[in-house]
Amino acid sequence: SSHLGREKALPIGEGRSHSSTRSRASSAMAGGDVVPYVNTWFWPSFTLVGTSSVFFGIYIGKITNSHEWKEIFLDYCHHKRTSYSPNPLDKVARTVLNLLKIAPK
């Protein structure tokens, strides 16, 4: 139990169930036919940090003019909320505003 947490590079083709594969594995290990270490953390980490940085740069407006995107999105959400809201008070307010638009000044 002292070796918990440690990974051992296994020779190609080594299985843990058959004794015939163990004899083949010992000959492969003698020949240096060992699976090399594969880095599995750098590129996923780099991708996550890179995409987060790009999106943050867009959000604060350093990469593109994202303020226009935010304003268009807010206008769209406001339009959806005011046009399709089931709230009765919003319906009354919308009716009053529509009447005021057509009423003479």
Side-chain angles (χ1 to χ4, degrees):
S1 72
S2 63
H3 65 282
L4 289 177
R6 292 188 209 154
E7 291 294 323
K8 184 173 101 174
L10 295 175
I12 295 174
E14 177 176 347
R16 295 180 186 245
S17 61
H18 301 304
S19 62
S20 64
T21 56
R22 287 190 186 270
S23 63
R24 220 176 349 149
S26 63
S27 65
M29 195 180 296
D33 194 12
V34 178
V35 177
Y37 172 74
V38 178
N39 188 350
T40 57
W41 65 268
F42 178 74
W43 287 111
S45 302
F46 183 78
T47 303
L48 181 63
V49 169
T51 54
S52 299
S53 300
V54 167
F55 281 128
F56 183 71
I58 290 171
Y59 175 73
I60 63 173
K62 296 293 183 187
I63 296 175
T64 62
N65 188 4
S66 67
H67 302 292
E68 285 184 19
W69 301 354
K70 286 186 267 189
E71 289 175 9
I72 290 170
F73 181 68
L74 286 175
D75 288 344
Y76 173 75
C77 290
H78 178 70
H79 165 73
K80 285 290 193 183
R81 181 184 176 274
T82 56
S83 298
Y84 303 107
S85 176
N87 187 349
L89 292 176
D90 280 344
K91 286 182 184 176
V92 170
R94 195 167 47 248
T95 304
V96 169
L97 287 175
N98 286 336
L99 284 174
L100 288 175
K101 282 182 187 175
I102 61 173
K105 295 182 181 179

